[in-house]
Amino acid sequence: MITLSYNSATYTFPNLTDHPYGYDEGEVRRGRAVRRWSLTGIIAREDAATLASLFEAWNAAKFLEDDPARTGVVGATVAFTGKAPGFNWSTPVPCWFSGAPSIQMAGIYCRVSATVVDAAAALAVILRQGEEEAEQAAQLNLGTLTFGGAVVNLTARPDGFTDLPALSLTPSGGHMVTGPLQPTQTRRVQGWVTPANLTLLESWLSATAAVSPSTGAWFPVEWSEPVAQRRADGGTIGTYYDVSFTVAKIR
């Protein structure tokens, strides 16, 4: 016998026709399986409306919520309790519906099915998938650069050159080099920073651009507005900023 509850609404499945317990299988070999309960049974016709109302109330609450991948919040859940052969879930498990109730006629009864999953475990999988993107960039070992105390975590190789000499043809068809014979070293910085480091970085930009640079100093020549991102790190959602700017080494 399995019971689902949401706010003041409660419904108990009196006659399950199959064992409910199983798993939502993602990448199982990477630990991405989530507890699932597939609820299939025969119920009275009037009970079908009760189950549908419980689902609709939960669904209406979820509709107003932001994506849990960005918030890191489980949000609205239904409480799952009950027993099945070999299993006892006496402590309520907060769940999400992963399959809306299906209702079909079965003589004077209704055959219904619905699926719920462990919400906390499902959220953990969602957040872990988001973390992997940041980890993949970190695995490149591109390192960090520091500007005025602001640490920028690099997502692309920064070193480059500009002001390269140019080739032109002489009347006899030979090449002639024009322009500077020494290129300017640049760093096209692409990466991310924490909010505190963004404050330091913007302070460095304002202070550095306000004075004439000395030889050998790195001077900002391009700047793009930082883009805020919310992503998981260690299972916790935080705000980070993607930054992109270029500095040149003064000759």
Side-chain angles (χ1 to χ4, degrees):
M1 188 172 291
I2 300 297
T3 298
L4 295 180
S5 301
Y6 179 71
N7 291 340
S8 59
T10 298
Y11 183 73
T12 299
F13 288 81
N15 299 298
L16 291 178
T17 57
D18 203 353
H19 201 294
Y21 191 48
Y23 296 91
D24 253 7
E25 297 185 13
E27 294 184 77
V28 176
R29 59 187 174 184
R30 302 186 63 204
R32 306 297 167 85
V34 176
R35 290 190 297 173
R36 179 196 68 210
W37 293 270
S38 298
L39 310 172
T40 302
I42 302 297
I43 65 175
R45 292 183 179 184
E46 56 270 21
D47 288 347
T50 301
L51 176 61
S53 295
L54 185 152
F55 168 76
E56 289 169 4
W58 173 85
N59 188 66
K62 297 301 288 185
F63 182 79
L64 299 176
E65 295 176 359
D66 199 357
D67 186 347
R70 292 195 299 268
T71 64
V73 175
V74 167
T77 59
V78 293
F80 172 94
T81 55
K83 295 181 179 180
F87 297 88
N88 184 353
W89 303 282
S90 57
T91 301
V93 181
C95 290
W96 291 333
F97 278 98
S98 66
S102 171
I103 303 171
Q104 298 176 331
M105 294 300 299
I108 62 172
Y109 298 98
C110 285
R111 180 181 293 107
V112 299
S113 63
T115 306
V116 296
V117 295
D118 183 333
L123 176 61
V125 170
I126 291 172
L127 296 182
R128 185 70 190 105
Q129 290 170 342
E131 288 177 354
E132 286 183 341
E133 296 181 7
E135 290 175 352
Q136 287 169 0
Q139 289 170 357
L140 296 175
N141 293 320
L142 295 175
T144 62
L145 288 175
T146 302
F147 301 88
V151 178
V152 180
N153 299 275
L154 298 174
T155 57
R157 185 178 182 276
D159 296 324
F161 295 92
T162 189
D163 299 329
L164 295 174
L167 292 175
S168 59
L169 291 174
T170 66
S172 62
H175 276 119
M176 179 177 64
V177 177
T178 60
L181 296 179
Q182 181 182 359
T184 300
Q185 286 183 261
T186 62
R187 285 178 174 168
R188 295 176 176 86
V189 182
Q190 297 181 53
W192 60 269
V193 297
T194 64
N197 278 293
L198 178 61
T199 299
L200 291 174
L201 185 61
E202 291 177 331
S203 295
W204 167 84
L205 176 69
S206 297
T208 305
V211 297
S212 296
S214 57
T215 301
W218 289 99
F219 192 76
V221 294
E222 292 180 354
W223 176 264
S224 297
E225 286 303 311
V227 178
Q229 301 282 355
R230 286 182 62 80
R231 58 177 173 80
D233 185 12
T236 302
I237 292 290
T239 299
Y240 302 87
Y241 290 88
D242 291 335
V243 294
S244 178
F245 59 97
T246 302
V247 293
K249 191 172 185 179
I250 299 301
R251 295 192 274 123

